[in-house]
Amino acid sequence: MIKTDIIIIGAGPVGLFTIFEAGLLKLKCHLIDSLPQPGGQCSEIYPKKPIYDIPGFPSILAGDLVDNLMEQAAPFKPGFTLGEAASTIEKVADDKFIVTTDKGTQHEAPIVMIAGGLGVFEPRKPPVENLEVYEDKGVEYIIKDPEFYRGKECVIAGGGDSALDWAIFLTDKKIASKVTLVHRRSSFRGHLDSVQKVMDLAGEGKINLLTDREVVGIGGDGKVENVVIKHKTEGETVLATDHFIPLFGLKPSLGPIADWGLEIEKNAITVDTKDYSTNIPGIYAIGDVNTYEGKLKLILCGFHEGTIAVQSAFARIHPDKKNILKYTTVNGVTGF
Ligand SMILES: Cc1cc2nc3c(=O)[nH]c(=O)nc-3n(C[C@H](O)[C@H](O)[C@H](O)COP(=O)(O)OP(=O)(O)OC[C@H]3O[C@@H](n4cnc5c(N)ncnc54)[C@H](O)[C@@H]3O)c2cc1C
């Protein structure tokens, strides 16, 4: 049994910053995340993209933000249970919850903060026969590190921003040796600028743009070697490639959290904005996972919510102690 002051479910940017704010109040945190690494959406979906609206950082790569948050949290020695999803919660005493993961690891604390973001997210997969067989053998649903594709032939499928942006990036930066973009329609859903850029690159012969077509099959001995592309009227062709990257977005789902008796509205947990507490005393919800009037799903808003929530958690854990706000400039950061 892992015992701590605050169990944080979700090691995204909001969960990570909350370790720091809790640490300033001498509260210890243990984080649970179903992903194998911390950072939530920043690490999993867009580690190499620059973020422009983190206060004090005119531009920072999402992956670097996660590294910085880990460094900032380090003095407070957080614990991590990674690669396991929090699946059940049980109130065992007035001031004790036990959170158990899908692998059976148990955690006990008086406070639970749910920083579960969009929940457990799954890629939307196209209906291609044998797709699963080639996963991680040339089929990827998320581009984590563009360098992985250096000198490789890539077939990207999709009509939204993600497909357009990565097709442009891998071409413009001369990373992939060949980029083919396959889309089942002739018009795209992405930003007009990106659509225009793809058209320009296709016109210059730098992107192989195939519209009104879909990938319907994959071939290769133990790894992707080609894909079968079907045109609406012209039939099928086989195209040699090293990678097939379907970018059709991610399907968010609250997962097991939805069954914990919390008030849910539109796949998010409703909270009291006084302290981001839920309808169950002792459980808070911060970051993308919560909802309230005027909610913005932004990292900086989640940082604020975590900061306020730990003040309330402190009052629950130490009802007899008065907490006086101290500036870090005055007190510094004294870890555990
Ligand atoms: C492409 C893209 C670009 C973006 N750009 C910006 C931007 O420029 N500026 C900005 O402010 N925001 C941006 N965002 C939004 C930003 O990423 C989110 O607001 C932020 O990640 C929310 O942080 P979070 O910690 O609340 O949740 P998340 O980052 O979603 O992390 C939640 C974590 O909880 C875990 N989890 C969920 N349920 C469970 C469970 N039951 N058990 C264990 N673990 C669980 C998940 O695995 C995940 O790791 C962008 C998002 C995307 C997709």
Side-chain angles (χ1 to χ4, degrees):
M1 178 79 77
I2 295 165
K3 293 188 179 183
T4 188
D5 295 319
I6 304 179
I7 296 166
I8 301 181
I9 299 170
V14 173
L16 293 179
F17 186 64
T18 303
I19 303 167
F20 177 82
E21 286 294 335
L24 293 180
L25 303 179
K26 300 285 171 220
L27 299 177
K28 237 176 143 35
C29 297
H30 189 97
L31 287 79
I32 305 172
D33 205 299
S34 49
L35 295 173
Q37 77 285 325
Q41 294 172 53
C42 293
S43 303
E44 188 62 15
I45 308 181
Y46 61 107
K48 300 286 173 185
K49 276 198 174 195
I51 308 178
Y52 300 102
D53 56 352
I54 301 298
F57 288 93
S59 164
I60 181 165
L61 292 182
D64 290 347
L65 175 67
V66 173
D67 291 345
N68 287 357
L69 288 166
M70 288 292 281
E71 188 183 332
Q72 198 170 16
F76 301 110
K77 300 192 170 58
F80 287 93
T81 301
L82 296 176
E84 300 185 28
S87 53
T88 61
I89 190 165
E90 202 188 335
K91 191 167 182 177
V92 287
D94 247 11
D95 57 352
K96 265 194 200 347
F97 293 97
I98 291 182
V99 176
T100 307
T101 68
D102 53 352
K103 299 205 173 126
T105 314
Q106 293 199 305
H107 310 74
E108 184 191 284
I111 300 289
V112 175
M113 297 231 170
I114 303 174
L118 305 175
V120 186
F121 41 89
E122 291 268 306
R124 287 196 177 86
K125 299 180 184 181
V128 176
E129 210 184 318
N130 284 340
L131 188 71
E132 267 90 5
V133 173
Y134 290 98
E135 283 175 0
D136 298 323
K137 297 183 185 96
V139 168
E140 294 91 29
Y141 304 103
I142 290 169
I143 295 186
K144 287 189 196 158
D145 180 4
E147 282 304 319
F148 183 63
Y149 301 96
R150 182 157 300 276
K152 298 283 166 51
E153 296 190 340
C154 300
V155 172
I156 295 176
D161 279 318
S162 198
L164 292 165
D165 288 354
W166 281 118
I168 295 168
F169 191 89
L170 294 178
T171 307
D172 254 1
K173 303 280 178 199
K174 298 187 172 58
I175 293 175
S177 60
K178 180 178 176 188
V179 173
T180 299
L181 178 61
V182 184
H183 182 38
R184 65 197 161 106
R185 299 206 172 83
S186 49
S187 60
F188 288 86
R189 277 179 288 110
H191 280 103
L192 289 180
D193 285 358
S194 310
V195 177
Q196 190 54 52
K197 178 83 181 163
V198 163
M199 295 298 172
D200 292 347
L201 288 167
E204 292 163 28
K206 292 180 178 166
I207 285 184
N208 179 25
L209 180 61
L210 301 177
T211 53
D212 295 318
R213 291 168 171 89
E214 281 179 85
V215 172
V216 294
I218 306 177
D221 188 8
K223 65 178 177 54
V224 173
E225 286 169 10
N226 59 60
V227 288
V228 181
I229 297 174
K230 186 175 178 188
H231 185 270
K232 279 180 182 166
T233 54
E234 294 165 15
E236 294 182 357
T237 47
V238 176
L239 183 73
T241 188
D242 301 307
H243 291 274
F244 171 46
I245 313 164
L247 298 176
F248 296 116
L250 297 167
K251 246 190 336 222
S253 145
L254 258 189
I257 294 170
D259 305 322
W260 290 359
L262 297 158
E263 270 172 23
I264 310 273
E265 209 181 283
K266 291 190 208 134
N267 211 31
I269 303 167
T270 54
V271 288
D272 182 343
T273 49
K274 170 169 64 75
D275 57 1
Y276 302 98
S277 53
T278 67
N279 59 310
I280 302 179
I283 305 186
Y284 297 78
I286 53 178
D288 276 16
V289 80
N290 75 16
T291 186
Y292 51 85
E293 202 184 331
K295 169 72 184 176
L296 292 178
K297 291 194 180 196
L298 286 175
I299 294 167
L300 75 96
C301 298
F303 287 169
H304 163 82
E305 293 162 11
T307 305
I308 300 292
V310 293
Q311 297 285 327
S312 171
F314 180 92
R316 279 190 73 81
I317 296 175
H318 303 295
D320 45 339
K321 279 195 201 163
K322 196 166 158 50
N323 175 37
I324 298 158
L325 178 73
K326 293 178 196 129
Y327 292 134
T328 53
T329 42
V330 176
N331 265 42
V333 174
T334 319
F336 294 133

